[in-house]
Amino acid sequence: MSNLHSPGRSDLAHARHVEVALIDYLRAQSARHEALVIAAVGELRIRIDAADALLEYADESQSAAIAFRLAAAEAVRLAGDVYFELAGRSLPRPLPHSAEPALPTQRRLLGDHYLNGAALADEQEGRLAAG
């Protein structure tokens, strides 16, 4: 399943890159002592750490893989937003290497799985093989 994680890994790597660039930028700014700036950097670190923790479980099931993918997408989205808000510009983001289902589709699949017990593709295949 690790090839399926490449878009998430790419997003997570870019979020880390943006975080480093943001911290480097802020170290030269007096705003680095402001509570809202510190909180924004802290929230970004939390999102990156959460995606990183979910990556450890991404090979266990499709639901774990989707959770990682969504967390990585959220980390990179937040990184871009915070960098733009605090530095006043954007950093270029690499294009995805492979096509994947749209994030809203992945979010819906995961929600349907947890809310309604809908089987995900890998779980359906496992049931058919055992059946």
Side-chain angles (χ1 to χ4, degrees), residues 18 22 25 44 76-91:
V18 172
L22 178 63
Y25 169 79
L44 176 56
V76 78
R77 183 206 58 79
L78 182 62
D81 289 354
V82 169
Y83 191 88
F84 185 79
E85 181 180 330
L86 298 178
R89 60 185 186 277
S90 297
L91 291 178

Side-chain angles (χ1 to χ4, degrees), residues 16-30:
R16 287 183 183 124
H17 168 74
V18 172
E19 180 193 34
V20 168
L22 178 63
I23 290 170
D24 287 347
Y25 169 79
L26 288 172
R27 285 196 173 132
Q29 308 298 315
S30 61

Side-chain angles (χ1 to χ4, degrees), residues 10-53:
S10 178
D11 277 355
L12 187 53
H14 187 66
R16 287 183 183 124
H17 168 74
V18 172
E19 180 193 34
V20 168
L22 178 63
I23 290 170
D24 287 347
Y25 169 79
L26 288 172
R27 285 196 173 132
Q29 308 298 315
S30 61
R32 73 182 183 276
H33 300 293
E34 294 177 15
L36 292 177
V37 171
I38 293 168
V41 172
E43 182 180 358
L44 176 56
R45 170 50 37 191
I46 289 167
R47 299 293 177 149
I48 290 170
D49 286 348
D52 204 30

Side-chain angles (χ1 to χ4, degrees), residues 50-105:
D52 204 30
L54 288 168
L55 176 58
E56 292 183 31
Y57 300 99
D59 285 329
E60 293 182 7
S61 68
Q62 187 175 3
S63 60
I66 293 172
F68 160 67
R69 179 64 190 106
L70 294 173
E74 177 59 18
V76 78
R77 183 206 58 79
L78 182 62
D81 289 354
V82 169
Y83 191 88
F84 185 79
E85 181 180 330
L86 298 178
R89 60 185 186 277
S90 297
L91 291 178
R93 185 172 171 188
L95 294 174
H97 298 333
S98 62
E100 66 172 339
L103 292 174
T105 299

